[in-house]
Amino acid sequence: MTRILITAAAGFGLTGLIGYLLLPALRALKAGQSIREVGPTWHNSKAGTPMMGGLMFILALVLCMLGNIASIGDHSVYFVLLLSLAFGLIGFLDDFTKAKYKRNLGLTSLQKALLQMAVSALFLYALYQHGAMTCDLYIPFFNVSFHIHPLVYILFAMFVMVGCVNAVNLTDGVDGLCASVTIPVMVFFTAAAVAMDRMSLALIPSALVGGLACYLFFNWHPAKVFMGDTGSLFLGGAVCALAFALDMPLILILVGFIYVVETLSVILQVGYFKLTHGKRLFKMAPIHHHFEMSGWKEEKIVLVFSGICALMCILAWFGIAGLRA
């Protein structure tokens, strides 16, 4: 347990140091964010804010894991880290394209979808081949598991992973929101890994708890830097990779409640718009923009959403009682 606390503290300190060094470099490279024309008009003032700030906590996590490499005995740790980094690389390519061509849209939707599916498939296959994934679907609260054919399970898992990663990406639309919502999720996975006697696996979420907490000093409104797709896709990969590595994918419905709501708001908005030939269900989607346009300050949205996420994570803790040692 001491090692986990030290890792969290190291994640905090290293993120701060890397951020101090990285922010001037991002400004010098003019790696600024372009603001979508369809977004809230008051977000136009954020144009030019450096993006790719997710590199702060990503590099900090890598350094933390290198520092613990001698004591890691669980190979699933490497799979989780590599998957997260692979998704982060996809996000980096997207951000780099935006920065290079000075436009809001980077990789096409098809390019990102194909890359994400390929990465998910490789991760799941590797996890299964090394016996780190059982293909047993655990049902929270009921303490029962259903064995599913490996091929069906992997296809299901690919769908969940791609959906989860993009849901986390959608949440990154207000200063501090994605990081604040993800902190309680990582606290949950740290506690779950410890309770299941998976101490090595607990190092990844614990380092991210510290890293994201420090990152908020840079990203709290008004943000000095955005995590970009580099950070949000990395976090999405880490969230779903941890869920599958711990054999509890359905828990994502609870711990990822805010991510799910953000995604559903977009789906409902688009569907309602098409069905009613132009009417809108929300003032703007994703739903955090609806609350912005209803007069909520960004800080209020972050505090309320992260508070709800924390409550759902507490509920999820009781839901995995059957898995805890």
Side-chain angles (χ1 to χ4, degrees), residues 90-325:
I90 295 171
F92 178 81
L93 292 173
D94 194 40
D95 286 337
F96 180 79
T97 304
K98 293 174 187 175
K100 182 177 180 180
Y101 296 106
K102 305 299 179 186
R103 64 190 190 196
N104 182 260
L105 298 176
L107 299 177
T108 66
S109 298
L110 180 60
Q111 288 171 330
K112 283 191 281 190
L114 290 174
L115 286 170
Q116 289 171 3
M117 285 190 289
V119 166
S120 299
L122 286 172
F123 166 76
L124 292 161
Y125 179 74
L127 216 60
Y128 176 71
Q129 285 294 102
H130 284 78
M133 186 174 69
T134 64
C135 295
D136 291 335
L137 190 63
Y138 178 77
I139 311 299
F141 298 104
F142 293 95
N143 194 28
V144 293
S145 298
F146 296 97
H147 185 73
I148 299 176
H149 188 280
L151 180 59
V152 175
Y153 188 87
I154 288 175
L155 289 173
F156 154 77
M158 284 176 60
F159 172 79
V160 171
M161 292 185 77
V162 173
C164 175
V165 168
N166 287 289
V168 176
N169 181 240
L170 280 175
T171 308
D172 185 33
V174 170
D175 293 355
L177 181 59
C178 190
S180 295
V181 166
T182 306
I183 287 174
V185 176
M186 290 302 161
V187 170
F188 167 83
F189 281 125
T190 302
V194 170
M196 295 169 67
D197 201 23
R198 303 280 297 276
M199 302 300 287
S200 294
L201 197 56
L203 294 173
I204 290 179
S206 64
L208 283 174
V209 169
L212 290 172
C214 184
Y215 171 74
L216 282 174
F217 283 96
F218 298 91
N219 188 236
W220 192 260
H221 184 73
K224 300 179 185 67
V225 67
F226 298 139
M227 69 171 65
D229 284 0
T230 304
S232 60
L233 292 186
F234 173 87
L235 290 178
V239 168
C240 55
L242 286 164
F244 279 99
L246 290 168
D247 262 337
M248 53 173 75
L250 291 185
I251 210 67
L252 288 171
I253 298 171
L254 294 175
V255 301
F257 180 76
I258 294 297
Y259 308 141
V260 173
V261 170
E262 293 274 16
T263 303
L264 284 177
S265 70
V266 174
I267 294 171
L268 290 172
Q269 181 85 322
V270 172
Y272 190 77
F273 185 86
K274 290 181 177 179
L275 285 173
T276 59
H277 304 290
K279 293 184 180 180
R280 288 176 169 81
L281 189 60
F282 304 105
K283 292 180 180 179
M284 187 175 288
I287 200 166
H288 54 257
H289 287 324
H290 169 82
F291 287 109
E292 270 194 286
M293 298 192 75
S294 297
W296 285 30
K297 299 293 184 184
E298 292 190 43
E299 298 93 330
K300 180 178 179 180
I301 294 171
V302 171
L303 291 173
V304 171
F305 279 37
S306 56
I308 292 171
C309 185
L311 290 174
M312 295 303 291
C313 287
I314 292 171
L315 179 63
W317 176 253
F318 293 103
I320 62 165
L323 291 177
R324 304 203 301 263

Side-chain angles (χ1 to χ4, degrees), residues 70-92:
S71 57
I72 294 175
D74 187 344
H75 286 171
S76 61
V77 172
Y78 301 113
F79 295 136
V80 171
L81 183 60
L82 287 173
L83 178 82
S84 305
L85 290 172
F87 275 114
L89 178 59
I90 295 171
F92 178 81

